[in-house]
């Protein structure tokens, strides 16, 4: 369940740490009723980053299978043609 807390609650750091450890989701912090910050445990952050990297690798592998790629030297040549005059 999404947790939303006001900025003033950040004063109780022990409580915030416990909240972060108790959930695998980010906690949204508001200031004057508007979203201001997102906090999460290091474990949750690492899971999100690993998941993101994994998705990017799978996407890249799929693009290679579909022939949607340019090798390094070819890419550099395309850049030179576009921007070097």
């Amino acid at each position: 369940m999404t947790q939303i807390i006001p900025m003033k609650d950040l004063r109780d750091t022990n409580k915030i740490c416990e909240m972060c450890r108790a959930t695998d989701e980010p906690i949204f912090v508001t200031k004057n009723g508007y979203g201001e910050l997102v906090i999460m445990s290091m474990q949750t952050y690492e899971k999100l980053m690993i998941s993101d990297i994994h998705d990017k690798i799978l996407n890249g592998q799929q693009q290679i299978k579909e022939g949607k790629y340019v090798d390094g030297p070819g890419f550099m040549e395309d850049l030179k043609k576009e921007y070097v005059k």
Side-chain angles (χ1 to χ4, degrees):
M1 183 171 131
T2 302
Q3 293 186 38
I4 302 171
I5 61 171
M7 183 75 74
K8 65 180 176 130
D9 285 2
L10 293 178
R11 292 181 186 139
D12 188 352
T13 56
N14 288 329
K15 178 183 172 187
I16 298 300
C17 288
E18 289 173 13
M19 289 173 63
C20 287
R21 283 190 220 106
T23 182
D24 284 338
E25 296 182 3
I27 298 170
F28 298 91
V29 182
T30 60
K31 182 177 181 181
N32 298 323
Y34 295 96
E36 185 72 20
L37 302 170
V38 177
I39 58 175
M40 65 185 76
S41 69
M42 289 296 293
Q43 182 179 359
T44 300
Y45 178 77
E46 288 171 356
K47 285 180 185 177
L48 287 172
M49 291 299 103
I50 289 171
S51 176
D52 183 53
I53 291 168
H54 183 258
D55 290 345
K56 288 177 180 176
I57 290 170
L58 291 177
N59 185 17
Q61 289 174 334
Q62 183 63 34
Q63 288 178 351
I64 290 170
K65 286 179 186 176
E66 295 171 2
K68 297 179 182 177
Y69 68 93
V70 178
D71 64 359
F75 177 74
M76 293 305 293
E77 286 302 316
D78 289 346
L79 282 178
K80 288 178 186 176
K81 288 176 189 173
E82 182 74 23
Y83 296 104
V84 177
K85 297 187 179 181

